[in-house]
Amino acid sequence: MIYMHQFIPRKSWPRLQQLQRWGQLRQEQMTLAFYITKDTVLQYLRHQIERGNWREVQEVLKGKPMTKAGQFLYHELRDKVIGKLIMRLGLRKVIAMALVIILLPIILAQVAGELLRRVRD
């Protein structure tokens, strides 16, 4: 069972709109931030699976990054995404961090859902 809904911030879409207004972000930047985050997540998880860290990846995808290994992967992934948003979009760190706090759980839930659908089919 996927418990990621517990980690998705409540009212995430209104919060994204507030962040967009506060950070003076254009819609193109928001779209790019979403795609950069998703690409980084997929690339990072693929790399971790290739390294043999399947159990930790599974814990993060299930929405239970409470173990030390799961927390480490989640924080490492978050830092990677923040770095990429800063470098590729030129965002300030506080704005990149706010985007990641909102986007990362949503994207992890989407990735987990896609994997679950593929496994069931």
Side-chain angles (χ1 to χ4, degrees), residues 18-30:
Q18 289 174 345
L19 178 63
Q20 184 178 4
R21 282 191 302 269
W22 177 74
Q24 300 175 349
L25 298 173
R26 296 183 317 272
Q27 187 62 38
E28 299 86 31
Q29 287 176 307
M30 295 294 286

Side-chain angles (χ1 to χ4, degrees), residues 55-114:
R55 178 170 281 143
E56 292 83 6
V57 169
Q58 189 176 11
E59 288 173 359
V60 170
L61 287 177
K62 282 184 177 180
K64 298 190 265 184
M66 302 305 172
T67 63
K68 289 187 180 193
Q71 281 183 349
F72 176 75
L73 283 180
Y74 184 79
H75 292 297
E76 188 175 303
L77 177 58
R78 184 189 64 195
D79 293 341
K80 268 190 172 303
V81 173
I82 289 170
K84 283 199 176 186
L85 289 176
I86 290 170
M87 294 300 290
R88 292 189 63 192
L89 294 179
L91 299 176
R92 290 181 286 161
K93 186 174 182 177
V94 69
I95 294 173
M97 188 173 291
L99 275 172
V100 170
I101 287 171
I102 296 171
L103 287 178
L104 193 57
I106 294 169
I107 291 174
L108 284 173
Q110 283 181 342
V111 169
E114 287 175 18

